[in-house]
Amino acid sequence: MRDKTQTNSAEPGDRLIRAGAIVFFIGTVATVVTVAPLFLGTTPFPTYMFGLSMLMGVGFLVAAAGVLRSVAAGRRQARAAAGSAR
């Protein structure tokens, strides 16, 4: 029997993973921009740039939450399939 799920359908947690990756990337760019003046010998950026660097951690946590949500949905689906097979 073929699986009725399309290959391009969104699974639970996919949006969180994508959003987390985007936030992580923004935090990475902010970190590079913040650290660059230290190596280039120019004046450092304002303090809020250090706050933007924290987006790396926030993005990582959001993506991790998406992965956990996806794993939980997969387990529920496997339990439902095992329960209906009996």
Side-chain angles (χ1 to χ4, degrees), residues 2-78:
R2 293 184 68 192
D3 187 19
K4 294 179 179 123
T5 305
Q6 296 178 0
T7 57
N8 60 354
S9 65
E11 295 291 323
D14 282 353
R15 288 184 182 169
L16 281 175
I17 294 170
R18 288 184 188 138
I22 292 168
V23 172
F24 184 85
F25 179 73
I26 292 169
T28 302
V29 171
T31 300
V32 169
V33 168
T34 304
V35 174
L38 298 174
F39 294 112
L40 300 175
T42 60
T43 57
F45 283 98
T47 307
Y48 70 86
M49 286 299 290
F50 292 100
L52 286 177
S53 296
M54 299 297 173
L55 288 177
M56 283 180 68
V58 172
F60 182 78
L61 289 176
V62 170
V67 168
L68 292 176
R69 185 172 178 190
S70 179
V71 167
R75 284 186 174 182
R76 280 192 300 270
Q77 190 176 26

